[in-house]
Protein backbone atom coordinates (compact mmCIF):
# COMPACT_ATOMS: atom_id res chain seq x y z
CA UNK A 1 0.00 0.00 0.00
CA UNK A 2 1.16 3.49 -0.78
CA UNK A 3 0.62 4.91 2.72
CA UNK A 4 1.72 1.86 4.70
CA UNK A 5 4.83 1.46 6.79
CA UNK A 6 7.05 -1.42 7.79
CA UNK A 7 7.23 -2.47 11.42
CA UNK A 8 10.30 -4.44 12.43
CA UNK A 9 10.61 -6.22 15.75
CA UNK A 10 13.84 -7.41 17.28
CA UNK A 11 13.44 -9.80 20.21
CA UNK A 12 16.65 -9.76 22.22
CA UNK A 13 17.96 -11.33 25.39
CA UNK A 14 16.86 -9.87 28.70
CA UNK A 15 20.44 -8.67 29.25
CA UNK A 16 20.85 -6.61 26.07
CA UNK A 17 21.04 -2.81 26.12
CA UNK A 18 17.69 -2.20 24.40
CA UNK A 19 17.96 1.58 24.20
CA UNK A 20 21.39 1.55 22.56
CA UNK A 21 20.39 -1.21 20.15
CA UNK A 22 17.18 0.58 19.14
CA UNK A 23 19.09 3.81 18.47
CA UNK A 24 21.65 1.98 16.32
CA UNK A 25 18.96 0.15 14.36
CA UNK A 26 16.97 3.35 13.76
CA UNK A 27 20.11 4.97 12.35
CA UNK A 28 20.63 2.04 9.97
CA UNK A 29 17.01 1.96 8.79
CA UNK A 30 16.86 5.75 8.42
CA UNK A 31 18.97 5.39 5.28
CA UNK A 32 16.16 3.47 3.54
CA UNK A 33 13.38 5.10 1.58
CA UNK A 34 10.61 3.32 3.50
CA UNK A 35 8.79 4.47 6.62
CA UNK A 36 10.23 2.01 9.14
CA UNK A 37 9.21 1.56 12.77
CA UNK A 38 11.87 -0.26 14.75
CA UNK A 39 10.85 -2.03 17.95
CA UNK A 40 13.19 -3.80 20.36
CA UNK A 41 11.82 -5.93 23.20
CA UNK A 42 13.30 -8.49 25.54
CA UNK A 43 12.27 -12.12 25.41
CA UNK A 44 10.53 -11.78 28.77
CA UNK A 45 8.76 -8.59 27.64
CA UNK A 46 7.55 -10.35 24.50
CA UNK A 47 6.25 -13.30 26.54
CA UNK A 48 4.53 -10.91 28.96
CA UNK A 49 2.67 -9.32 26.04
CA UNK A 50 1.68 -12.74 24.64
CA UNK A 51 0.33 -13.75 28.05
CA UNK A 52 -2.36 -11.08 27.57
CA UNK A 53 -4.13 -12.40 24.43
CA UNK A 54 -7.09 -10.02 24.71
CA UNK A 55 -4.89 -6.93 24.93
CA UNK A 56 -3.95 -4.91 21.87
CA UNK A 57 -0.16 -4.97 21.92
CA UNK A 58 2.73 -5.48 19.55
CA UNK A 59 3.26 -9.19 20.30
CA UNK A 60 -0.39 -10.08 19.66
CA UNK A 61 -0.47 -8.05 16.46
CA UNK A 62 2.64 -9.82 15.22
CA UNK A 63 1.22 -13.22 16.17
CA UNK A 64 -1.77 -12.57 13.88
CA UNK A 65 0.03 -11.04 10.88
CA UNK A 66 3.76 -11.63 10.69
CA UNK A 67 6.60 -12.40 8.39
CA UNK A 68 9.66 -13.88 10.04
CA UNK A 69 12.89 -12.90 8.32
CA UNK A 70 15.24 -14.62 10.71
CA UNK A 71 14.99 -16.62 13.91
CA UNK A 72 11.80 -18.52 13.19
CA UNK A 73 12.70 -21.37 15.53
CA UNK A 74 13.35 -18.97 18.41
CA UNK A 75 10.09 -17.13 17.69
CA UNK A 76 8.02 -20.31 17.82
CA UNK A 77 9.90 -21.44 20.93
CA UNK A 78 8.81 -18.22 22.64
CA UNK A 79 5.21 -18.78 21.54
CA UNK A 80 5.33 -22.26 23.04
CA UNK A 81 6.61 -20.95 26.37
CA UNK A 82 3.53 -18.80 27.01
Amino acid sequence: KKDSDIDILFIVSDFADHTKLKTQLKNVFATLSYDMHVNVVSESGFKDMLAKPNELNLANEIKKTHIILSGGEAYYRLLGEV
Side-chain angles (χ1 to χ4, degrees):
K1 286 167 70 174
K2 184 179 178 184
D3 296 329
S4 65
D5 63 349
I6 297 174
D7 295 308
I8 297 182
L9 174 67
F10 291 87
I11 303 171
V12 297
S13 77
D14 292 331
F15 306 105
D17 183 347
H18 302 150
T19 305
K20 183 178 179 182
L21 179 60
K22 186 172 183 175
T23 300
Q24 292 171 334
L25 291 167
K26 280 185 171 185
N27 290 336
V28 169
F29 288 113
T31 62
L32 302 175
S33 60
Y34 295 102
D35 185 15
M36 308 282 278
H37 293 143
V38 176
N39 299 283
V40 178
V41 299
S42 66
E43 287 184 8
S44 61
F46 188 74
K47 289 191 280 188
D48 288 344
M49 287 187 277
L50 287 172
K52 302 170 187 167
N54 297 323
E55 186 176 292
L56 180 61
N57 62 48
L58 183 61
N60 289 323
E61 183 179 338
I62 288 168
K63 189 176 175 183
K64 291 178 189 171
T65 58
H66 64 276
I67 297 173
I68 301 172
L69 299 177
S70 178
E73 289 180 18
Y75 170 78
Y76 286 108
R77 176 183 50 80
L78 287 173
L79 291 181
E81 291 177 4
V82 177

